[in-house]
Amino acid sequence: MNLKEFNEFREKMNEKILSNGTLNTKRFFNLDGAVYKDGAIPTKYKEMLGLVASMVLRCEGCIAYHIKRCLEEGVTDEEFYEIFDIALIVGGSIVIPHLREAVAFLEEAKKEIRGE
C-alpha cells in the first residue's frame, strides 16, 4: 500500500466513522506531512490499520500478529481501544465475535513482552 492508497483508505474510513458520529481517523492516526520520511508510511500506522483490517476480515492469526506488532511499535492501550472502536464502526456486527479475542490476544501479548 503506497501513501496515496493509504490516504484514500483512511478517508473512506473517516467518512464512515464521521457519519456514525464518533471517532475521526484524522485525529486517531494523527497524520500530517511531518510524520513521513521519503513518502513512507510509519510502521506504527501500518500495523494499526492492519489490525483494523484483520478484525474486519475475521482473521484470528492476523489479529494476534498485528497486536504484537502494534505493541512492538509503541501503540498505547488508549490507541488499542480506539482501533477496536474503528473496527466495530467499519466492520459492524461481523467484528463483535472477534473483539473479545482481540482483547485476550492483547493481554496475552503484553504478558509475553513483559516476560511473564
Side-chain angles (χ1 to χ4, degrees):
M1 179 182 283
N2 63 33
L3 180 59
K4 184 176 181 233
E5 292 168 330
F6 178 83
N7 283 327
E8 286 172 2
F9 177 70
R10 185 171 53 94
E11 284 304 313
K12 284 179 188 170
M13 284 177 55
N14 200 44
E15 285 170 26
K16 193 163 188 175
I17 289 164
L18 287 175
S19 69
N20 185 277
T22 56
L23 295 169
N24 179 321
T25 57
K26 285 182 181 174
R27 176 182 61 80
F28 170 62
F29 288 115
N30 193 25
L31 295 175
D32 58 38
V35 289
Y36 301 108
K37 291 181 182 174
D38 302 323
I41 302 162
T43 305
K44 175 180 177 177
Y45 301 115
K46 286 184 190 175
E47 296 302 336
M48 292 163 88
L49 271 180
L51 181 53
V52 170
S54 298
M55 292 181 71
V56 172
L57 295 171
R58 299 173 285 176
C59 180
E60 251 181 61
C62 295
I63 292 170
Y65 169 79
H66 285 293
I67 282 176
K68 282 187 179 177
R69 291 289 299 127
C70 282
L71 284 169
E72 290 166 0
E73 292 298 324
V75 173
T76 65
D77 281 353
E78 182 180 359
E79 289 171 323
F80 271 111
Y81 286 98
E82 287 196 339
I83 292 169
F84 298 156
D85 285 345
I86 287 172
L88 278 167
I89 293 163
V90 173
S93 62
I94 62 170
V95 170
I96 291 170
H98 301 283
L99 192 54
R100 191 174 293 155
E101 288 171 351
V103 173
F105 285 136
L106 175 59
E107 294 309 314
E108 193 61 35
K110 281 196 234 172
K111 288 178 184 174
E112 188 178 309
I113 286 171
R114 288 191 302 249
E116 294 176 9

